[in-house]
Amino acid sequence: MAGKSLEKGNVRLILQRSHPMLRIALLGMLVLCILSMVALGILIQTTRQETAALREQALELQEQNQKLQDYLEQLGSVEAIQRIAQEELGLYLPDTIIYHTK
């Protein structure tokens, strides 16, 4: 392949046309890079959505944990023990008077 030649001082630059297979290979690599960037963009967006959902779930679990912690703290009180005994077990203090209505 004959090409153009430029000379400037001690430097000689020869310009030649590239081989068609090299052009095809470069084009293929360019297309592959673009497809990879699109795929990574989709992956990033999906990961962001999953992260947001997990953060929301974490907040809900923190609220639930706080409610359970409050419930556990109340369990130690006499009032809580009496309430559980009455509501869940049907037990009452001996001096309690129960009226049944029809």
Side-chain angles (χ1 to χ4, degrees):
M1 289 182 152
K4 294 182 180 180
S5 175
L6 298 173
E7 289 187 30
K8 182 149 186 161
N10 294 340
V11 178
R12 183 176 172 195
L13 179 64
I14 300 174
L15 303 174
Q16 294 182 346
R17 285 201 164 269
S18 61
H19 194 275
M21 290 303 288
L22 179 61
R23 289 181 181 184
I24 292 171
L26 288 174
L27 180 63
M29 288 177 19
L30 179 64
V31 169
L32 181 63
C33 288
I34 291 171
L35 290 176
S36 297
M37 288 176 30
V38 169
L40 285 174
I42 292 170
L43 182 63
I44 288 170
Q45 183 63 28
T46 303
T47 304
R48 284 182 180 159
Q49 290 173 350
E50 289 174 1
T51 302
L54 288 172
R55 284 188 177 144
E56 185 176 326
Q57 183 181 7
L59 287 175
E60 290 172 5
L61 288 173
Q62 284 177 346
E63 290 174 7
Q64 186 179 6
N65 281 342
Q66 186 60 46
K67 288 178 183 177
L68 289 172
Q69 188 66 33
D70 294 343
Y71 179 73
L72 285 175
E73 289 173 3
Q74 293 174 0
L75 281 180
S77 68
V78 174
E79 295 83 13
I81 293 171
Q82 286 178 346
R83 184 183 49 79
I84 292 170
Q86 290 173 1
E87 293 175 3
E88 297 180 17
L89 303 174
L91 302 175
Y92 295 91
L93 293 173
D95 59 345
T96 302
I97 300 172
I98 302 172
Y99 292 101
H100 292 284
T101 59
K102 291 186 180 182

